[in-house]
Amino acid sequence: DAGQLLFERSGALLELIDEMNRKGIGAGRKSLSAGMIGRGLTLGEGAIRALLEQLQQEGLIACQKGRGGTRLTQRGKSFLLH
C-alpha cells in the first residue's frame, strides 16, 4: 500500500534525522539520501525533498537554508517516542 510505504519512509527519515542531529552531523538532502541507502531504502534527493516538505508541513521538522540542515521539532521528537 502506497500510504504504508510513505509512512515507513517518513518514519525512517525522522529516525535518521534524529540520529544525525544527536551526532552533530548536518542533515542535508545528500547526506540523508546516503543514510537512507545505508538503511536499505534507495531515495534520491528529489524523493528526500518531497518527504522533507511533507514532514515540515506536518510540523515534525524544521529545515534551515544553507548548512543549517534539518532538525526535528519537539513534535517530531514526540512522534518518534510513540
Side-chain angles (χ1 to χ4, degrees):
D1 176 63
Q4 181 65 26
L5 182 62
L6 180 64
F7 182 77
E8 289 173 8
R9 288 180 173 181
S10 296
L13 187 58
L14 284 172
E15 289 173 359
L16 179 59
I17 292 167
D18 183 50
E19 181 181 312
M20 293 174 78
N21 288 172
R22 285 186 279 110
K23 291 180 178 178
I25 301 170
R29 287 191 306 268
K30 284 185 182 182
S31 57
L32 289 171
S33 179
M36 291 296 276
I37 290 170
R39 291 170 183 243
L41 295 170
T42 303
L43 296 174
E45 286 186 54
I48 294 288
R49 183 183 306 113
L51 279 173
L52 290 175
E53 287 174 6
Q54 182 178 12
L55 293 172
Q56 189 170 23
Q57 287 175 358
E58 294 174 13
L60 299 173
I61 62 169
C63 297
Q64 299 174 345
K65 294 191 183 222
R67 300 187 63 79
T70 302
R71 299 212 162 273
L72 289 185
T73 62
Q74 195 58 47
R75 183 174 179 186
K77 292 175 185 178
S78 296
F79 178 85
L80 282 181
L81 293 175
H82 296 98

